[in-house]
Amino acid sequence: VDSAAEARFVEWAASRSGSLHRLAFVLCGDWHVAEDLAQEALARTALHWQRIESVEHPDAYVRRILLNQHQSLRRRPGWRLAGRFAPPEVSVPDSTEGYANRAALLAAVQQLPPRQRAVIVLRYYEQLSEAETASAMGCSTGTVKSQSHKALQSLRRVVKEEQRC
Amino acid sequence: MLTDDLTEALSDAAAHPPFPLNITDVLARSRQLRRRRRTGITVVVAGIAGLSVLGALVVAPALSRPGLATDGHRTPIGVPHPITGAEALAAFSHWGPTRGSLAHDHAFLANVQQEWAHPTGPEAVSGPNTLTGSVRVLFAGQTPGGPAAVVTQDSTDRHVGLEVGVMTTVPGQGLSLWGPNDPSEWSESDVLNEGRFDTRQVSFTSGSGHAIVVLPTNPSDTVSASVGHSLDRAGRAVRAWKPVATVAAQPGVAIVPSPHPDSSWDTLIRVSRAGRLIDQGAVWINVGSPPVPTNALGTWTQINAVVGKDSGGTSVDTFAAWARLHGAADEPFGQAGWDIEGQFPDGSFLLIEQLWLYGDPAHTVILRESHNTWQVLSDTVTNRRARPLFAVRSAVVGGWLVAAGPRSIITGYRPPGSRRWIAPRPAIRDYSGPNGNTPQYSRKAGYLPTLAPTLQIRLVVNGKNRVVTTARPTNGR
């Protein structure tokens, strides 16, 4: 990568690193793991930057890399992330009840299977359409719909149980 | 409404990252990936209608991939005489007819040849420009993960000799190709001269990783596999071996069932001829990312010269020195993204990395090379939350080697009782400038030239000062 291209990459990466870090966090639920995921995705993007910036949409590319990295992470036996997803230490003011419900919801998202979680995050955090989500995940819109349906069903169950308590 | 709550909850949860991403670290990690490609295999993803293909691999450089191969000094049990690179290449050159159930499927073979010549897809890069002669398809057949192929072609680079590509179907991933990224770098590998290439099998994971395909160079050779290890009381890897039957319909093709997608990373393959073990090695190409222990750290630093000049790089021998402490020299293992290197005035090299046997915790390992021999100075299970991450006293290097750890720097050290803090000499992280020779300094790690039995080390950890007194050394050499 020549220095001009590297400068363009650094500028692009700096502008995207925050959002990528946050996306990684809502996928994995741990800021340190998110840092690793986001850095890895950016590093892999940097490897092919000259081609990516000329022929592809870098944002879509790095998001796809991140999703793939996360899927791989979830397969690793040592990475047990369940239950680690909690509201941030620095949080907006909230009522105790709202905080508890939100924590339960976030924990439930964390318990979803990886593909369902990716669909939920892309649809309701990234605000992508079904077609955009399908493109990002490399699957059909039908798969997005079915995964989304199953995920929302699971989450509704959790919310209901939480309200019953 | 649930979906609104979801959007709000996820947005709030991610609203305040506790620390910003460091783009410098990203670039360092990218360079690390690029550097690994120089000594290992690279992933390029290509797309072709109707087929997904994994893997093109230049034979010779792949042999310097840590954990994969074999080196001149290896002493795996039962392999008395590792073959030379020339012998191994000869075995590939005299492979015989194409094996596999698709060996006569002309459309499939044309597809494979096309992909080999012109990789396509979102991550495709140009292959080596040293290919010459005819393309030979060693294997074309169905595997548990779908169609796969193995291709070979001669190289004009006499050190490389032969290039081998492995292609297999990866669900949902399109055509994926492992191969050389920068052709100019391959010629730097004097692999044949070093006798590295002594494998007598091609092996790759198939599909999502639930099976490993093994092709012994001689179709009548027998294959056995160990798909995981346990540790004995001394912490050394113990393996159970099972014979692997050749697929009845595909002579010379053995399929190893893999109990878990990740287990292929921890698999060793053995090849025997007439009852005599002639080869042992890890799986050539694994699908997906390797398993990473929870105490592994990402690329929190990348230091070229913690002392003196840049290190001279690594070789298979580097890591075999550590692997032998924990099992066979060719025991597969993983590496973290960071490393700390250096070169002492006497010419000896220093390398500090995190290494792990797959499925086990990561170790922080300090290695030193002198007169072409690598020695393990320190080998401890990493405590990723410790600050400093490590502080090891070594009489061999005449001082302390200290790394602060992520989001921490070293600002001083002194023997207990001393009033004066000594600022460690900054390590050289990288080089910049128009000529690439302006050092960029780091205080994340340091070589402290004192053999005091304990030290007080002053750090800044997450922006706060901290003073730590080291324990008396127990494991440094």
Side-chain angles (χ1 to χ4, degrees):
Chain A
V1 179
D2 63 41
S3 56
E6 182 168 301
R8 290 196 298 277
F9 170 78
V10 169
E11 186 181 357
W12 172 83
S15 69
R16 301 298 194 280
S17 63
S19 59
L20 202 64
H21 194 187
R22 288 191 289 272
L23 173 59
F25 173 72
V26 292
L27 282 167
C28 73
D30 181 294
W31 282 113
H32 293 285
V33 177
E35 178 188 25
D36 205 30
L37 280 171
Q39 284 196 341
E40 186 70 14
L42 286 171
R44 287 174 188 272
T45 305
L47 270 181
H48 304 289
W49 176 251
Q50 282 174 306
R51 180 177 50 76
I52 292 164
E53 69 170 344
S54 60
V55 301
E56 283 210 41
H57 194 297
D59 291 355
Y61 181 91
V62 74
R63 186 162 55 209
R64 196 165 61 236
I65 297 283
L66 184 74
L67 288 169
N68 288 340
Q69 291 287 318
H70 175 249
Q71 298 275 344
S72 303
L73 185 75
R74 293 284 301 183
R75 285 199 296 269
R76 297 171 190 170
W79 294 74
R80 303 273 180 214
L81 301 174
R84 291 170 64 180
F85 203 148
E89 291 172 16
V90 182
S91 180
V92 292
D94 200 351
S95 70
T96 306
E97 188 181 355
Y99 182 91
N101 289 339
R102 188 167 297 171
L105 190 57
L106 290 173
V109 170
Q110 176 73 17
Q111 299 289 343
L112 292 172
R115 281 169 72 82
Q116 289 184 25
R117 172 125 59 106
V119 167
I120 289 296
V121 166
L122 293 176
R123 292 280 288 120
Y124 303 113
Y125 174 73
E126 289 280 282
Q127 303 281 310
L128 299 188
S129 68
E130 284 176 345
E132 288 168 332
T133 302
S135 171
M137 293 182 61
C139 64
S140 68
T141 52
T143 303
V144 170
K145 284 178 185 173
S146 65
Q147 295 287 313
S148 175
H149 178 71
K150 286 177 188 169
L152 289 173
Q153 267 190 330
S154 302
L155 296 176
R156 278 197 187 92
R157 257 196 315 273
V158 171
V159 171
K160 273 184 188 169
E161 283 169 14
E162 189 65 25
Q163 287 169 343
R164 232 182 280 140
C165 293
Chain B
M1 196 174 166
L2 177 64
T3 52
D4 293 337
D5 289 345
L6 262 175
T7 300
E8 199 175 327
L10 289 169
S11 299
D12 282 354
H16 303 285
F19 46 85
L21 280 189
N22 187 335
I23 303 300
T24 306
D25 285 349
V26 168
L27 291 173
R29 184 182 289 217
S30 177
R31 279 191 284 272
Q32 175 79 354
L33 285 171
R34 199 177 296 279
R35 195 167 46 168
R36 284 184 178 179
R37 288 170 187 219
R38 190 179 303 154
T39 57
I41 55 175
T42 56
V43 183
V44 277
V45 181
I48 187 169
L51 179 69
S52 295
V53 175
L54 172 83
L57 166 139
V58 173
V59 166
L63 297 164
S64 50
R65 182 176 63 174
L68 164 74
T70 49
D71 61 63
H73 305 289
R74 73 172 193 169
T75 53
I77 299 163
V79 188
H81 303 295
I83 58 173
T84 66
E87 285 175 311
L89 290 184
F92 277 91
S93 297
H94 301 98
W95 182 272
T98 303
R99 297 179 207 168
S101 56
L102 299 172
H104 304 291
D105 185 326
H106 297 297
F108 179 76
L109 294 176
N111 214 6
V112 168
Q113 295 248 3
Q114 172 70 16
E115 180 56 27
W116 175 248
H118 304 288
T120 57
E123 286 193 43
V125 296
S126 300
N129 55 9
T130 53
L131 294 169
T132 186
S134 60
V135 179
R136 300 183 297 281
V137 180
L138 308 184
F139 167 75
Q142 288 290 349
T143 74
V150 177
V151 176
T152 185
Q153 193 171 9
D154 289 340
S155 170
T156 55
D157 185 331
R158 66 186 178 87
H159 295 305
V160 173
L162 189 74
E163 291 163 354
V164 175
V166 179
M167 306 178 185
T168 187
T169 305
V170 180
Q173 194 175 317
L175 193 68
S176 302
L177 184 67
W178 295 65
N181 188 37
D182 185 347
S184 66
E185 292 180 339
W186 292 120
S187 61
E188 295 175 7
S189 299
D190 296 341
V191 179
L192 285 180
N193 289 345
E194 294 178 11
R196 299 263 183 258
F197 181 33
D198 63 356
T199 186
R200 278 188 160 153
Q201 45 100 4
V202 178
S203 53
F204 53 93
T205 49
S206 166
S208 56
H210 286 287
I212 301 162
V213 179
V214 182
L215 309 168
T217 51
N218 184 334
S220 60
D221 288 346
T222 56
V223 174
S224 58
S226 167
V227 293
H229 75 274
S230 57
L231 296 179
D232 65 14
R233 285 185 180 178
R236 289 178 61 83
V238 178
R239 291 182 168 275
W241 294 87
K242 282 188 179 174
V244 183
T246 299
V247 179
Q250 301 183 59
V253 181
I255 307 289
V256 183
S258 194
H260 186 277
D262 281 333
S263 59
S264 60
W265 292 91
D266 194 27
T267 291
L268 273 178
I269 306 290
R270 281 181 172 177
V271 178
S272 299
R273 183 170 300 166
R276 192 171 74 96
L277 188 60
I278 59 168
D279 186 49
Q280 175 172 296
V283 177
W284 276 30
I285 295 176
N286 285 290
V287 169
S289 301
V292 176
T294 51
N295 66 334
L297 293 162
T299 308
W300 65 274
T301 191
Q302 202 91 71
I303 289 179
N304 285 337
V306 70
V307 58
K309 298 187 292 186
D310 289 12
S311 163
T314 60
S315 69
V316 177
D317 299 337
T318 312
F319 304 105
W322 178 79
R324 281 193 199 97
L325 293 178
H326 298 278
D330 38 21
E331 196 67 45
F333 62 88
Q335 293 170 275
W338 64 275
D339 70 8
I340 297 171
E341 302 172 16
Q343 184 181 163
F344 289 93
D346 67 359
S348 62
F349 294 129
L350 183 73
L351 175 67
I352 306 172
E353 280 206 33
Q354 264 188 308
L355 306 172
W356 57 85
L357 299 185
Y358 291 116
D360 295 344
H363 291 222
T364 302
V365 182
I366 303 180
L367 296 143
R368 174 178 175 267
E369 189 253 43
S370 181
H371 304 297
N372 298 318
T373 301
W374 283 92
Q375 172 190 15
V376 178
L377 294 183
S378 173
D379 175 27
T380 52
V381 174
T382 306
N383 175 2
R384 61 174 287 156
R385 299 197 183 282
R387 298 293 180 272
L389 184 66
F390 63 82
V392 174
R393 178 186 180 276
S394 170
V396 174
V397 300
W400 285 75
L401 295 161
V402 183
R407 288 172 287 285
S408 310
I409 57 170
I410 305 162
T411 59
Y413 69 98
R414 66 185 181 189
S418 170
R419 288 186 172 185
R420 189 173 63 90
W421 287 104
I422 305 166
R425 186 176 177 175
I428 296 174
R429 175 168 54 81
D430 206 349
Y431 300 89
S432 63
N435 300 321
N437 55 10
T438 306
Q440 295 178 321
Y441 294 104
S442 168
R443 290 191 290 171
K444 288 185 175 178
Y447 168 71
L448 315 181
T450 170
L451 283 173
T454 63
L455 283 181
Q456 282 191 318
I457 298 172
R458 191 176 61 188
L459 307 159
V460 176
V461 180
N462 287 324
K464 293 179 181 171
N465 289 317
R466 182 185 296 182
V467 174
V468 176
T469 303
T470 65
R472 286 187 175 269
T474 54
N475 60 347
R477 291 177 194 173

